[in-house]
Amino acid sequence: MPHLELELSCGLPPGPDFAVLAEELGYRRVWIFDSAPLWEDPFVHLALAAPRTTRIGLSTAVLIPTQRSLMAMASAIAAIARLSDGRFRACFGTGYTARMAMGQRPLTLDALFDYVTALRQLLAGKTATVDGKPARMLHAAGLTAARPIEVPLWLSVFGPRGNARAAEVADGIIGPSHPTLPTATLASGTVLEPGEDPSSARVRDAIAPWRVVGVHTAYSQGGAAAVDAMPGGQAWREELEALAGEDERHLLAFEGHVTHLADRDRHVVEHMDTKTMVGDRERVARHLGRLADAGFAEVIYTPSGPDVARELRAFASVRPQE
């Protein structure tokens, strides 16, 4: 039996505009990534997508508090809510990739939760404390959406502490299945052509940018020991460290993150997983069905590789099965 309750959405970096195609293919929502060291501003691309679409939801995965002041964030959210006629959902996180790529630690959970709490107050038309002073959205009638602005605010929380606290401020989460909040999960993969070998060059190119992410994270989080314990990790690390001194290696750790491969990633690609969410339509449908059974309300498919349009079309043809 199909899992009709499971929403199939897609997650993409800002840049090439696939929102119209995603809507034509029936995706429920398009999530635009936010990481200033890697990609363009998601609000610009959401503003461009809003008038070109009518049904598909528009979302962010995920906004990072330190990249925008509270008032700038509230104003940007209000603009997209107005332009999209209420189709916008904003999701926030601690900024692991964006901040580590600049040599900074991710935000604390307390800082994230305080930011989203104050943001919710501003969007409701209330006075919030911003930088120690009372602040409120002062936009006159007609200059942005009328308050209160009803935009769902989600959190990306993968750890147990964040997951446990999410209901304090969030309307839903990206992360492990939550007992009370609607939960979305990310999924990379590709649908094979009839008779196609899962180890083919096309499959490798399509899934590799996401399948090497673990090395990026391990190096930034655990250093040499963590990376060297991974297949191909030591060769990857040694090549990276030969290119830059210790104080600039964070500039290389996330190079090509989820969109392209750096030359050194070849050491990891030969060991990557080519089974999860890779297969014919029936096999991928079973993978989706298991996610629905695990309690997820939405799957955010994250295509990559040289032909994202092809990946979106093929995955849209799949429906979850038991």
Side-chain angles (χ1 to χ4, degrees), residues 231-316:
Q234 182 175 349
W236 180 93
R237 175 183 61 80
E238 290 173 348
E239 191 167 325
L240 180 148
E241 292 180 350
L243 295 173
E246 186 173 356
D247 61 340
E248 291 192 352
R249 287 171 183 163
H250 61 275
L251 301 175
L252 299 175
F254 293 93
E255 187 178 2
H257 192 68
V258 310
T259 58
H260 301 82
L261 293 176
D263 287 343
R264 59 189 165 274
D265 289 332
R266 69 185 185 280
H267 300 297
V268 183
V269 167
E270 61 184 285
H271 304 286
M272 71 180 181
D273 170 19
T274 58
K275 294 182 179 180
T276 303
M277 210 64 76
V278 174
D280 59 20
R281 285 169 175 76
E282 290 72 22
R283 178 181 172 84
V284 173
R286 290 194 294 272
H287 280 291
L288 292 175
R290 286 194 286 271
L291 291 174
D293 291 338
F296 292 103
E298 183 173 357
V299 170
I300 305 170
Y301 173 54
T302 55
S304 59
D307 194 352
V308 170
R310 181 267 173 204
E311 304 304 327
L312 286 171
R313 290 189 179 95
F315 213 87

Side-chain angles (χ1 to χ4, degrees), residues 10-28:
C10 58
L12 299 162
D17 185 2
F18 290 109
V20 172
L21 176 61
E23 180 170 82
E24 291 173 354
L25 293 172
Y27 284 96
R28 176 64 185 86

Side-chain angles (χ1 to χ4, degrees), residues 189-193 196-209 211 269 272-275 277-279 304-306 310-311:
T190 188
V191 177
L192 300 180
E193 298 293 336
E196 186 176 20
D197 188 336
S199 62
S200 70
R202 188 204 67 78
V203 172
R204 179 199 62 213
D205 292 344
I207 67 174
R211 300 296 163 98
V269 167
M272 71 180 181
D273 170 19
T274 58
K275 294 182 179 180
M277 210 64 76
V278 174
S304 59
R310 181 267 173 204
E311 304 304 327

Side-chain angles (χ1 to χ4, degrees), residues 34-42 64 66-68 95-104 250-251 254-257:
D34 182 24
S35 188
L38 296 170
W39 306 305
E40 295 176 341
D41 192 302
I64 303 159
T66 53
Q67 291 187 170
R68 297 170 190 84
Y96 183 89
T97 299
R99 290 179 61 81
M100 295 294 278
M102 296 190 295
Q104 302 171 358
H250 61 275
L251 301 175
F254 293 93
E255 187 178 2
H257 192 68

